[in-house]
Structures are given as C-alpha cells and as structure tokens.
C-alpha cells in the first residue's frame, strides 16, 4: 500500500491524497508535477522514473480499500535537490528515464 506522502520533497507543495499532480518513483519519493519536470522526470534519490501517483478512493468502493481504512501518510520529506548537479548527473548517465 502506498504511503501517499503529503507534500513535494523539492518545494513542499501540498499533495493531498486526491492530488492529480503528485508524482512518485518506485520507492515512493514524492514530487509535484512542476518539480518532476525540473528533475526531468528522474528521481534524484534513486534514479528511477517519476510517474503519476494513483489516487486512493475517499470512500469504500470495494473491500474497505479506501482512505478511511488506510489513511494517507503524514510524514513529510523535504530534501531539495540541486537542480544543476542533478542535470550534470543525468548527462553523465547518458540516458534519462522515460
């Protein structure tokens, strides 16, 4: 089950569970869509791609798999990335995630 972190790691923009602008990598590092563009859709922490985060239903639609039974996380992670260093790192890899 995804943690659904409450904000962008880069700019601290609020990303509530219903947000359509939240982006995550496979380790659930969380960024807003604007910061994902700045990061070239590549997670600065693991190097994986940043993709839209799924939305967990607010109310029980099936088998109790909703925010009531599985609330969003409250742990805020703030670790802004040096965008110039990130771009250099991406260039050194010779490829970017898609």
């Amino acid at each position: 089950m995804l943690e659904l972190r409450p904000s962008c790691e880069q700019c601290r923009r609020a990303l509530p569970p219903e947000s359509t602008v939240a982006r995550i990598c496979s380790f659930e590092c969380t960024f807003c869509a604007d910061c994902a563009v700045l990061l070239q859709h590549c997670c600065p922490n693991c190097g994986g791609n940043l993709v839209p985060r799924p939305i967990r239903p607010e109310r029980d639609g099936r088998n109790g798999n909703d925010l009531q039974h599985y609330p969003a996380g409250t742990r805020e992670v703030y670790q802004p990335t040096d965008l110039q260093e990130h771009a250099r790192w991406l260039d050194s890899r010779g490829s970017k995630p898609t």
Side-chain angles (χ1 to χ4, degrees):
M1 173 182 58
L2 294 175
E3 184 179 353
L4 301 179
R5 294 179 187 165
S7 60
C8 176
E9 292 184 24
Q10 182 71 19
C11 72
R12 285 192 167 147
R13 177 179 180 176
L15 297 170
E18 70 277 4
S19 176
T20 59
V21 299
R23 303 291 183 262
I24 61 171
C25 71
S26 65
F27 290 96
E28 295 189 59
C29 300
T30 303
F31 299 90
C32 68
D34 292 338
C35 288
V37 169
L38 293 175
L39 295 165
Q40 299 178 56
H41 302 281
C42 181
C43 179
N45 304 317
C46 71
N49 60 330
L50 295 171
V51 298
R53 182 180 72 188
I55 294 175
R56 186 171 301 148
E58 185 177 342
R59 295 193 180 100
D60 186 12
R62 186 167 206 185
N63 303 320
N65 295 317
D66 57 52
L67 285 169
Q68 278 186 334
H69 294 94
Y70 300 99
T74 58
R75 180 174 68 99
E76 186 174 334
V77 177
Y78 179 63
Q79 49 189 22
T81 300
D82 179 322
L83 297 175
Q84 290 179 338
E85 176 57 35
H86 183 66
R88 283 192 295 274
W89 177 75
L90 285 172
D91 286 343
S92 75
R93 287 177 49 176
S95 65
K96 297 175 182 138
T98 56

